[in-house]
Amino acid sequence: MESVNQTASVTEFILLGLSAHPKLEKTFFVLILLMYLVILLGNGVLILVTVSVSRLHMPMYFFLGNLSFLDICYTTSSVPLILDSFLTPRKTVPFSACAVQMFLSFAMGATECVLLGMMAFDRYVAICNPLRYPVVMSKAAYVPMAASSWAAGSAASMVQTSLAMRLPFCGNNIINHFTCEILAVLKLACADISINVISMGVTNVIFLGVPVLFIFVSYVFILTTILRIPSAEGRKKAFSTCSAHLTVVVVFYGTILFMYGKPKSKDPLGADKQDLSDKLVSLFYGVVTPMLNPIIYSLRNKDVKAAVRNLVSQKCFTQ
């Protein structure tokens, strides 16, 4: 009963954001706002063309549309809160709203991990087994693949959020972060969080380790197949269909592995610098990566660029 009462007594959390570095707040407010607008525009245009242009109704572009929608959902669940924290040094968030924000951000991140693995499989089939591609990657296959990515990410987030929100909080409700990031919330618990640590470790293996291994194996086969193509033009064309995806994978997993896997310093004198570093890395993962995705993955694609130009020209013509 004591734990229940302690948990119930916390009705809101306080987000510190960059309140300890006021000189950075105005600069980051402008930068994050501009990046958020680019995210909405770039990913929104990509979703529009993949839905409206019939020749883009293929598995690769279906996954790209899902990735863009996912990035919009992820940033919208956190960026408005981040921008508000720059304007309000001690931003308060209700307990329930914090749980919802934590669920959405974790679900979107876990879903993207799985979705990137699905996209690697799509490229593997397209390059290594092109004759079987229409059969293997039929609509009856790629739609459930995308749906299972969303379902798996949501299920994992539900487990982690439930375990975190059921912990007792003994008066300290100040989150030293921009948002209700799950690791920052766990630091406030006054109970044993070993179950949370074990559960988070298992989740990291499933949603980070397994997709990374799957992507790595897929690209070993892809590169082997590309090197066997006799013509240089054919090798270049085949590799160009994978290079953007590989770049997104490196940026996404590199950032998230650094954020969750790097060792923590035990030196109390370096605590402030470490906290600032953690915040900025989290900010990069949450804003810069979704902004880069439509640029390095989709908008460089010839078919997508042609579809965008046609869509714009049609719009101008009708006006």
Side-chain angles (χ1 to χ4, degrees), residues 195-214:
I195 294 179
N196 300 77
V197 173
I198 294 172
S199 177
M200 184 69 73
V202 173
T203 302
N204 286 343
V205 170
I206 295 174
F207 287 89
L208 290 177
V210 173
V212 166
L213 180 61
F214 183 80

Side-chain angles (χ1 to χ4, degrees), residues 144-312:
M145 287 170 64
S148 64
S149 300
W150 287 90
S154 299
S157 181
M158 180 64 71
V159 172
Q160 297 302 325
T161 304
S162 299
L163 289 175
M165 290 293 100
R166 293 171 68 178
L167 290 170
F169 298 93
C170 305
N172 184 9
N173 65 339
I174 300 177
I175 300 177
N176 190 16
H177 212 276
F178 299 109
T179 63
C180 294
E181 204 271 336
I182 189 167
L183 296 182
V185 173
L186 290 178
K187 292 179 181 179
L188 304 181
C190 57
D192 182 16
I193 61 171
S194 58
I195 294 179
N196 300 77
V197 173
I198 294 172
S199 177
M200 184 69 73
V202 173
T203 302
N204 286 343
V205 170
I206 295 174
F207 287 89
L208 290 177
V210 173
V212 166
L213 180 61
F214 183 80
I215 292 170
F216 175 78
V217 173
S218 297
Y219 271 96
V220 168
F221 285 105
I222 289 172
L223 292 176
T224 302
T225 302
I226 290 176
L227 292 176
R228 291 176 180 172
I229 298 176
S231 66
E233 184 65 27
R235 289 194 298 270
K236 181 180 179 180
K237 182 178 180 180
F239 184 75
S240 66
T241 65
C242 304
S243 59
H245 172 259
L246 198 56
T247 304
V248 169
V249 167
V250 171
V251 172
F252 177 81
Y253 283 108
T255 306
I256 200 171
L257 285 173
F258 177 79
M259 183 169 61
Y260 287 104
K262 67 186 180 72
K264 301 298 180 181
S265 173
K266 296 182 179 179
D267 182 9
L269 297 177
D272 291 339
K273 291 183 178 180
Q274 180 173 296
D275 287 339
L276 180 60
S277 174
D278 291 344
K279 290 178 183 179
L280 295 181
V281 171
S282 176
L283 197 62
F284 177 85
Y285 164 73
V287 180
V288 178
T289 302
M291 182 186 69
L292 292 178
N293 283 351
I295 298 174
I296 63 179
Y297 198 132
S298 308
L299 299 183
R300 291 176 58 188
N301 182 283
K302 294 181 180 179
D303 292 335
V304 173
K305 287 196 292 187
V308 172
R309 285 196 298 267
N310 292 337
L311 196 65
V312 172

Side-chain angles (χ1 to χ4, degrees), residues 16-25 89 176 272 275-276 279:
L16 291 185
L18 286 176
S19 58
H21 307 274
K23 294 182 179 180
L24 296 177
E25 290 186 324
N176 190 16
D272 291 339
D275 287 339
L276 180 60
K279 290 178 183 179

Side-chain angles (χ1 to χ4, degrees), residues 22-138:
K23 294 182 179 180
L24 296 177
E25 290 186 324
K26 292 183 179 179
T27 302
F28 273 92
F29 177 84
V30 175
L31 288 176
I32 300 304
L33 178 59
L34 292 176
M35 289 178 181
Y36 182 52
L37 295 177
V38 173
I39 289 169
L40 295 179
L41 178 62
N43 289 287
V45 168
L46 181 59
I47 293 173
L48 180 61
V49 297
T50 55
V51 171
S52 60
V53 179
S54 59
R55 71 171 180 273
L56 298 184
H57 292 173
M58 297 186 294
M60 180 175 70
Y61 300 110
F62 177 78
F63 287 129
L64 287 177
N66 272 263
L67 182 63
S68 293
F69 180 70
L70 188 151
D71 285 338
I72 290 177
C73 291
Y74 177 78
T75 52
T76 302
S77 72
S78 59
V79 169
L81 197 61
I82 294 173
L83 293 174
D84 195 22
S85 71
F86 291 143
L87 300 177
T88 309
R90 290 174 63 88
K91 171 64 180 176
T92 58
V93 179
F95 189 91
S96 58
C98 190
V100 171
Q101 195 274 321
M102 186 190 304
F103 167 79
L104 291 175
S105 61
F106 196 97
M108 297 302 104
T111 300
E112 185 159 351
C113 290
V114 181
L115 190 62
L116 288 174
M118 299 291 187
M119 296 168 77
F121 177 75
D122 172 72
R123 292 299 84 205
Y124 162 76
V125 178
I127 293 176
C128 299
N129 295 281
L131 297 179
R132 297 189 59 198
Y133 183 77
V135 177
V136 176
M137 295 302 297
S138 64

